[in-house]
Amino acid sequence: MYGVVCVGEQESLAVRTAMSEAQDAETVAQDLARQLIHPYLGFVLFFCSAEYDLPALGNALHQYFGGVRMVGCTSAGEITSQGYGRSCVTAVGFDHRSFSIACELIDEMDRFSLTDAQQLVERLGSDCRSNSLAPIKDHSFALTLLDGLSSREEIVLSALSAAFGSIPHFGGSAGDDNHLTDTHVYYGGKFHSGAAAVVLINTWLDFEVFTTHHMLPRTEKLVVTRVDSHARRVYELNAEPAAEEYARLIGVEVIDLDHRLFAAHPLAVRINEHYYVRAIQKVNDDLSLTFYCAVENGIVLTAMRPGPLMPNLEALFERLEQRLGPPLLTIGCDCFLRRLEIDDNGSSDDTSAFLRRQQVIGFNTYGEQFNGMHINQTFTGVAIGRPGGRAGERGAR
């Protein structure tokens, strides 16, 4: 039998959010513990700057949160209860009376198979069912946090997608404050590289997993004519050196190519009527381009341009609120290239204030995941409705 929750308990059935801008690892752990710990705390999700002493931070969090399970990752910028942040930690604590949460670590991403995924998902489901909150089907979603520099996201996501079946899932690739050197996920009291954390969240509250982007197609096309798919390294576009052909497309010199130009002039793959951005990570000395997502020989890349970002976000949350009511929490995976664009066009304060109003906690990523797809330059996540909200009422009856 599944648990019954009264709407009158709304205040105690929420989530708690926290942040710390302290630089000392122990002070950070103290700050988060003071803001999050209560008798019904069942799970903590956090995102942190890679500038921290990660071994010290891992030890401090493990010490101050004791037996509470925690999962997190390093970021390329944080989304806090106050909006956008940098060089800080943002976190959310889940009340076990409203959320039954299970998690596992994938420590060998390149060897992860469909059988591994099926067994992992079965264990997660069994763990969640032990709390007897709600049926797994139609009342669960999954979150994946992956090493953002592993180049193995597609392997893991393909297997997990098949194993999850109808369970919606989303996630983000860990960042490292735009240094592109080391990214980490946190599990079991330690930060891990080359690994992925998988979290299954079961709840009687209503929710919706979503993705959106504000990119619009141009007419120009580029064909990938030589590539190392394993390394996501494109050597030729239209049978020309990749960096030269891309620079020619956007009207700059190769020497000028950087993250901000990549953000302003993305390339995308068209699947049916939808465009999925394949963001460029860097230019290599041999004039090849390394991408954040898998790129195959022969695919056609469409040149894209940014549309209005804020109207796109506003339309998304208007639709979500029509279905869910005002959000209790939104977990957001926001591509770091979007953050660069927002910083450059002077809209950071307005966007930050909007995310704050929508109760967004999250991070800037090196790639996003949506129902098995690895994508770039999106805002992807889950919105969770309040107890007693429009759709939440049926779960509380």
Side-chain angles (χ1 to χ4, degrees):
M1 173 179 281
Y2 293 102
V4 177
V5 181
C6 299
V7 174
E9 296 179 55
Q10 175 174 343
E11 294 304 318
S12 62
L13 286 172
V15 294
R16 293 189 182 182
T17 61
M19 70 170 294
S20 175
E21 295 178 299
Q23 296 306 300
D24 174 71
E26 185 164 353
T27 305
V28 169
Q30 289 174 340
D31 286 350
L32 298 184
R34 184 177 62 252
Q35 296 171 70
L36 293 179
I37 289 180
H38 63 92
Y40 303 105
L41 179 65
F43 185 85
V44 173
L45 174 68
F46 74 91
F47 310 103
C48 69
S49 167
E51 296 173 4
Y52 285 101
D53 180 336
L54 295 180
L57 181 59
N59 289 335
L61 290 172
H62 184 68
Q63 175 187 349
Y64 278 88
F65 282 87
V68 177
R69 287 181 295 181
M70 301 184 73
V71 164
C73 71
T74 56
S75 69
E78 299 76 51
I79 307 175
T80 78
S81 56
Q82 302 304 310
Y84 278 137
R86 286 208 185 277
S87 303
C88 66
V89 180
T90 182
V92 55
F94 294 86
D95 188 315
H96 70 72
R97 295 172 297 174
S98 291
F99 299 92
S100 182
I101 301 178
C103 55
E104 287 207 16
L105 183 74
I106 301 170
D107 56 5
E108 293 186 342
M109 294 173 66
D110 55 345
R111 298 184 180 181
F112 191 67
S113 68
L114 176 57
T115 300
D116 294 330
Q118 290 168 333
Q119 293 173 350
L120 182 150
V121 170
E122 178 56 37
R123 290 192 300 269
L124 293 177
S126 178
D127 195 357
C128 282
R129 278 189 288 269
S130 67
N131 202 15
S132 300
L133 274 186
I136 297 298
K137 182 178 173 58
D138 298 327
H139 296 274
S140 305
F141 61 89
L143 165 67
T144 49
L145 300 176
L146 282 63
D147 182 329
L149 299 176
S150 67
S151 299
R152 298 293 180 270
E153 292 96 328
E154 285 83 7
I155 293 172
V156 172
L157 292 174
S158 176
L160 284 175
S161 182
F164 277 130
S166 62
I167 296 174
H169 49 285
F170 76 98
S173 298
D176 66 345
D177 300 288
N178 303 353
H179 297 305
L180 300 176
T181 53
D182 292 293
T183 61
H184 296 81
V185 298
Y186 178 89
Y187 178 89
K190 296 180 180 179
F191 284 90
H192 305 261
S193 60
V198 185
V199 184
L200 183 64
I201 301 174
N202 175 244
T203 180
W204 56 267
L205 296 169
D206 207 49
F207 60 83
E208 182 172 331
V209 172
F210 62 81
T211 187
T212 189
H213 69 77
H214 64 298
M215 295 297 159
L216 302 173
R218 293 165 45 177
T219 58
E220 299 94 336
K221 310 287 184 183
L222 297 173
V223 179
V224 177
T225 48
R226 189 161 74 91
V227 63
D228 179 349
S229 298
H230 184 76
R232 300 173 176 171
R233 190 163 175 168
V234 175
Y235 291 93
E236 291 183 0
L237 292 169
N238 295 343
E240 298 289 341
E244 290 182 354
E245 188 69 1
Y246 175 75
R248 185 161 39 248
L249 171 75
I250 67 174
V252 302
E253 298 297 323
V254 170
I255 196 172
D256 295 323
L257 294 175
D258 61 14
H259 284 141
R260 285 175 166 77
L261 284 173
F262 297 152
H265 304 278
L267 304 173
V269 175
R270 180 177 176 177
I271 301 176
N272 297 322
E273 298 304 313
H274 300 284
Y275 290 90
Y276 299 94
V277 171
R278 293 289 181 262
I280 300 170
Q281 183 185 115
K282 62 181 179 179
V283 180
N284 302 301
D285 292 340
D286 60 1
L287 298 180
S288 63
L289 297 172
T290 298
F291 283 70
Y292 281 102
C293 280
V295 182
E296 301 296 332
N297 208 50
I299 67 168
V300 177
L301 296 172
T302 299
M304 307 288 283
R305 62 179 178 85
L309 189 148
M310 273 304 300
N312 175 267
L313 268 183
E314 289 167 346
L316 166 70
F317 279 99
E318 181 179 352
R319 179 180 62 78
L320 290 170
E321 185 166 344
Q322 286 174 354
R323 180 177 168 234
L324 302 174
L328 168 69
L329 172 73
T330 304
I331 303 172
C333 301
D334 190 25
C335 183
F336 88 104
L337 294 172
R338 290 166 56 93
R339 179 79 177 264
L340 290 178
E341 178 188 338
I342 290 166
D343 288 344
D344 281 354
N345 66 22
S347 63
S348 180
D349 288 347
D350 289 343
T351 309
S352 185
F354 180 79
L355 295 175
R356 183 172 64 246
R357 291 194 298 272
Q358 301 304 325
Q359 311 294 322
V360 179
I361 299 293
F363 73 115
N364 295 115
T365 75
Y366 282 173
E368 304 78 61
Q369 301 116 41
F370 179 73
N371 289 340
M373 294 190 65
H374 185 209
I375 49 184
N376 295 128
Q377 232 154 327
T378 74
F379 180 74
T380 297
V382 63
I384 302 171
R386 295 177 181 274
R390 288 190 180 96
E393 290 182 352
R394 68 172 178 267
R397 286 198 295 266

